[in-house]
Amino acid sequence: MVQVVEAFNESKAEAFAQNLLGILNSGALALMTSIGHRTGLFDAMGQMQAATSQEIADAAGLNERYVREWLGAMVTGGFIEHNALTQTYFLPPEHAAFLTREATPNNIAVSLQLIPLLASVEDEILDCFEKGGGLPYSAYDRFHQVMAEDSAQTVVSALKDGILPLIPDGIDRLNRGIDVLDLGCGRGRALMEMASLFPNSNFTGIDFSKEAIADARSESTARGLTNIEFRVEDAAKFNECDRYDLIFTFDAIHDQAHPDLVLQAIHRALRKDGTYLMQDIRASSNVANNIDLPVAPFLYTVSCLHCMSVSLAMGGMGLGTMWGEELAFKMLRDAGFIGAELKQLDHDIMNNYYLCRKN
Ligand SMILES: C[S@@+](CC[C@H](N)C(=O)[O-])C[C@H]1O[C@@H](n2cnc3c(N)ncnc32)[C@H](O)[C@@H]1O
């Protein structure tokens, strides 16, 4: 047999090396962007004219030496403009539009917090590469906080004008008064938004995280919502029949230990003519089809370091973030949802919305 050895392509190697250098800088900037968000530096600078590092540090209530080093990364990374003569720094409004809390739902700094969050479990994930298994949710500090901030942007802000209109007659029925469930609700912000928009309907949120549910309860009490209930419960053991008119899962199926059982439980819990809306990741089940997906490397990384891992930690299926549309449709059919429809929304390039009817 003749082995064909391809010649080493110098320009291909050079292009790849340049790409790697770009990744080195982008990775570093992701960490610094997360810090800019958490410290409030972007918010402070979004309100300021050009200012010195001391003025910026004072405005944010931070240590000047650290702020100056952070500014160095932000200036050389193209986030912030620097005037060497006046030694001042300026966050242009075109950049603030994607970096400040005021910019919600377009604050991309929120999602960049996921990079340090995932990196914090690298050592434990290395063990999993050797021995298999996974990490429990408790291994991820700040997971529910970051998740709630993230879905405040993609879900909460789009409910009224984007997500709920996907459901035929959904808004009319919510106005008249129906029973609604959010399974894997996390800190429950989406459900609280709906509870305040539709006082005639009743809302139930279920999550197995005591911490997330405690937070959801105290926030809903503070908001004076009386048509909402949050329960700590394992979705795989959820067993109610013909109880809800509308069920949501927001980004909460692919990381289940037993997503098959959860989908069956959802089908059982829906009333006749009830609707299930599943928001889950927009991707193919086949990696070859995901090459041109803009955020595929990010999503496979989230999967490997979190979503697949938390499922495997519980002896689960480990579907992972990128379980994909083909498998999603198959599992929906297996659970009894025949003829699920795929919907997409412009504001949410990472997710599909599967509209499923009980009958
Ligand atoms: C990716 S988060 C999404 C949270 C929320 N829906 C949102 O969009 O912010 C997945 C949620 O599912 C919850 N979860 C995972 N497995 C569960 C199970 N077996 N029973 C109940 N909740 C579960 C997690 O605690 C987490 O809050």
Side-chain angles (χ1 to χ4, degrees):
M1 199 171 103
V2 182
Q3 198 183 354
V4 180
V5 180
E6 281 189 30
F8 189 86
N9 183 330
E10 291 291 347
S11 58
K12 187 173 177 178
E14 175 59 24
F16 185 62
Q18 286 300 326
N19 191 12
L20 286 177
L21 271 184
I23 289 167
L24 188 65
N25 281 326
S26 297
L29 287 169
L31 297 179
M32 287 306 218
T33 305
S34 176
I35 287 177
H37 174 72
R38 294 182 65 187
T39 52
L41 273 163
F42 289 132
D43 297 323
M45 291 191 76
Q47 305 292 325
M48 297 172 85
Q49 298 299 316
T52 64
S53 56
Q54 187 64 60
E55 289 165 338
I56 294 164
D58 290 346
L62 298 168
N63 177 283
E64 187 276 337
R65 182 67 194 92
Y66 275 86
V67 169
R68 188 163 20 111
E69 218 61 4
W70 176 83
L71 285 165
M74 290 289 115
V75 168
T76 53
F79 282 49
I80 285 172
E81 293 166 2
H82 177 54
N83 184 327
L85 286 178
T86 54
Q87 286 296 302
T88 55
Y89 302 85
F90 177 59
L91 177 63
E94 297 81 1
H95 297 188
F98 300 99
L99 293 169
T100 61
R101 285 175 175 77
E102 204 177 291
T104 301
N106 299 320
N107 183 3
I108 297 173
V110 163
S111 306
L112 283 162
Q113 293 178 95
L114 284 165
I115 302 298
L117 193 147
L118 297 173
S120 72
V121 296
E122 186 182 71
D123 287 352
E124 295 89 330
I125 289 287
L126 283 177
D127 277 346
C128 298
F129 268 83
E130 286 180 25
K131 300 175 196 142
L135 304 182
Y137 274 94
S138 57
Y140 302 84
D141 282 346
R142 301 191 68 246
F143 172 76
H144 290 291
Q145 160 79 33
V146 174
M147 199 60 233
E149 277 189 63
D150 207 50
S151 65
Q153 301 214 116
T154 49
V155 179
V156 179
S157 68
L159 269 172
K160 199 159 134 267
D161 298 323
I163 297 173
L164 296 178
L166 293 176
I167 304 163
D169 298 330
I171 293 188
D172 282 350
R173 291 164 68 208
L174 282 159
N175 274 323
R176 283 199 298 274
I178 54 173
D179 292 309
V180 182
L181 172 70
D182 181 359
L183 213 54
C185 65
R187 291 192 174 184
R189 303 264 165 88
L191 209 58
M192 283 184 246
E193 177 73 3
M194 288 189 266
S196 67
L197 286 172
F198 304 106
N200 294 334
S201 287
N202 291 310
F203 297 86
T204 304
I206 286 179
D207 201 288
F208 70 177
S209 163
K210 287 185 187 150
E211 178 218 313
I213 291 296
D215 188 276
R217 281 182 183 147
S218 66
E219 192 175 329
S220 72
T221 304
R223 288 170 66 166
L225 297 169
T226 53
N227 55 340
I228 195 164
E229 170 199 35
F230 287 104
R231 302 203 310 250
V232 177
E233 204 169 312
D234 183 347
K237 297 184 185 145
F238 179 70
N239 191 13
E240 293 187 51
C241 284
D242 304 326
R243 168 76 181 78
Y244 298 97
D245 304 289
L246 188 50
I247 300 183
F248 294 98
T249 55
F250 294 110
D251 200 15
I253 293 298
H254 65 257
D255 52 4
Q256 291 289 326
H258 305 290
D260 49 349
L261 300 183
V262 175
L263 290 174
Q264 287 164 26
I266 289 171
H267 189 265
R268 209 167 36 238
L270 273 179
R271 288 193 177 120
K272 190 170 175 295
D273 299 327
T275 303
Y276 167 42
L277 190 70
M278 176 175 87
Q279 180 217 35
D280 217 296
I281 296 297
R282 188 190 298 189
S284 166
S285 307
N286 305 311
V287 66
N289 298 337
N290 291 329
I291 306 238
D292 294 327
L293 202 68
V295 282
F298 168 70
L299 292 169
Y300 278 110
T301 304
V302 172
S303 185
C304 185
L305 278 90
H306 181 270
C307 302
M308 178 187 76
S309 183
V310 291
S311 173
L312 292 174
M314 293 179 280
M317 289 171 75
L319 287 182
T321 319
M322 299 297 273
W323 63 318
E325 290 161 20
E326 297 87 338
L327 183 54
F329 275 117
K330 178 184 182 310
M331 290 184 67
L332 286 167
R333 272 195 309 275
D334 290 350
F337 292 109
I338 313 296
E341 289 173 59
L342 189 145
K343 308 272 184 185
Q344 297 183 334
L345 292 170
D346 287 345
H347 83 283
D348 187 359
I349 58 158
M350 288 200 207
N351 289 292
N352 285 328
Y353 292 79
Y354 298 86
L355 187 65
C356 316
R357 289 187 188 79
K358 172 138 186 173
N359 297 312

